[in-house]
Amino acid sequence: MLRSISRTPFSMAVSAQKQTAVRALSASAVSNDRARSKAFGAIRSSGNSRDMMDITNLEDFQFDDSSTVGYDRMEAQREVRKYLRITKYELPKLKAFVKPFQAPTNTQILRFRTTTYLGESNHPAGRKVVMTVDTRSLPLTNAELHKFLLLVGSRYNPVNNEIKMSCEKFQDRSQNFKWLSDTLDKLINEAKKEPESVSDVPLDLRHAAKSIKPKVRFPKEWNRPVANKTA
């Protein structure tokens, strides 16, 4: 059963305004079409029946304006001047934020590395964080350190005794910092649980075989003797 829809005076006024606006737009479109038809008619009456947008119908360049290449060069100069102004007037303001260098303490054992791409704030590699830590600075005994190295696996570099881990699973860089720090804490806590149970398991260092492979040097005793040359 259809329900009757009652219309208030306000809704009727709004509807009338919409209809008036539609009629005005239709009249404007018709007038524009008529003006366009008159323009094409004038071109046809002048004997030039070719397309007015054809590049061959353009007027000859009178060298009274810059070319496209010229405008591109001017735009490049504007950009260079923009950064020169920033260098001269904005960079000196950074002196107010200068802090003296302080060497890391014994408790600051974590090192983080990030990459910032200038001009690309949303670069996919900009959120990646790489963490390195020296295994000799970890608060672990020999047995705990052995289990810790078993847990980290190929992230251990036996040449410089460092652990290297990276994270880019989160969109924000600070979250990747936090994930790496929390993961290291979990590994240390796990390494302290019954470390003697895996003390007989050897470390798998095949991932670093090339870096730890001893260099074969030619014995000096095998060198060919050099004959003394007399003048």
Side-chain angles (χ1 to χ4, degrees), residues 143-144 146-148 150 191 193-202:
E144 294 172 350
H146 180 76
K147 183 178 180 180
F148 177 82
L150 290 176
K193 298 178 181 179
E194 300 180 359
E196 294 79 8
S197 60
V198 293
S199 59
D200 58 339
V201 179

Side-chain angles (χ1 to χ4, degrees), residues 59-231:
E59 297 181 359
D60 295 337
F61 184 60
Q62 303 298 329
F63 298 95
D64 55 349
D65 194 5
S66 180
S67 61
T68 303
V69 178
Y71 279 113
D72 291 340
R73 294 191 63 180
M74 285 191 291
E75 186 64 27
Q77 291 178 1
R78 292 192 187 99
E79 186 175 4
V80 172
R81 292 177 180 176
K82 170 188 173 183
Y83 288 108
L84 288 177
R85 286 192 295 269
I86 293 176
T87 303
K88 184 176 181 180
Y89 299 108
E90 299 296 333
L91 291 184
K93 298 179 181 179
L94 298 178
K95 293 182 180 179
F97 303 96
V98 174
K99 296 181 180 179
F101 173 74
Q102 295 180 356
T105 61
N106 296 331
T107 58
Q108 298 173 341
I109 60 176
L110 302 182
R111 289 178 295 173
F112 295 94
R113 178 176 60 85
T114 59
T115 304
T116 302
Y117 297 85
L118 297 178
E120 300 184 43
S121 58
N122 296 324
H123 196 281
R127 61 189 180 185
K128 182 178 180 179
V129 180
V130 180
M131 182 189 69
T132 55
V133 57
D134 194 337
T135 57
R136 293 167 292 189
S137 61
L138 296 175
L140 299 174
T141 62
N142 292 334
E144 294 172 350
L145 180 60
H146 180 76
K147 183 178 180 180
F148 177 82
L149 297 180
L150 290 176
L151 293 174
V152 298
S154 60
R155 297 173 180 83
Y156 170 60
N157 187 354
V159 177
N160 52 12
N161 292 321
E162 286 186 349
I163 302 297
K164 183 177 181 181
M165 301 171 59
S166 64
C167 178
E168 54 181 332
K169 63 190 300 183
F170 300 104
Q171 188 68 27
D172 189 54
R173 183 183 293 179
S174 59
Q175 292 178 295
N176 295 322
F177 274 102
K178 187 66 168 59
W179 186 89
L180 289 172
S181 178
D182 293 344
T183 302
L184 181 63
D185 293 339
K186 293 178 182 178
L187 289 172
I188 293 176
N189 294 333
E190 187 65 27
K192 292 182 179 181
K193 298 178 181 179
E194 300 180 359
E196 294 79 8
S197 60
V198 293
S199 59
D200 58 339
V201 179
L203 292 177
D204 187 4
L205 301 178
R206 288 177 295 177
H207 62 279
K210 293 183 179 180
S211 58
I212 63 178
K213 183 178 181 180
K215 296 182 179 180
V216 179
R217 300 184 180 276
F218 192 79
K220 296 181 179 180
E221 295 78 8
W222 293 5
N223 291 339
R224 179 177 298 178
V226 179
N228 295 327
K229 296 182 179 180
T230 58

Side-chain angles (χ1 to χ4, degrees), residues 28-39:
S28 177
V30 171
S31 61
N32 291 336
D33 292 339
R34 290 177 180 174
R36 192 178 299 107
S37 301
K38 290 181 180 180

Side-chain angles (χ1 to χ4, degrees), residues 14-44:
V14 172
S15 178
Q17 291 179 357
K18 290 182 178 179
Q19 293 178 3
T20 304
V22 171
R23 293 194 191 96
L25 291 175
S26 302
S28 177
V30 171
S31 61
N32 291 336
D33 292 339
R34 290 177 180 174
R36 192 178 299 107
S37 301
K38 290 181 180 180
F40 282 111
I43 294 175
R44 296 190 185 95

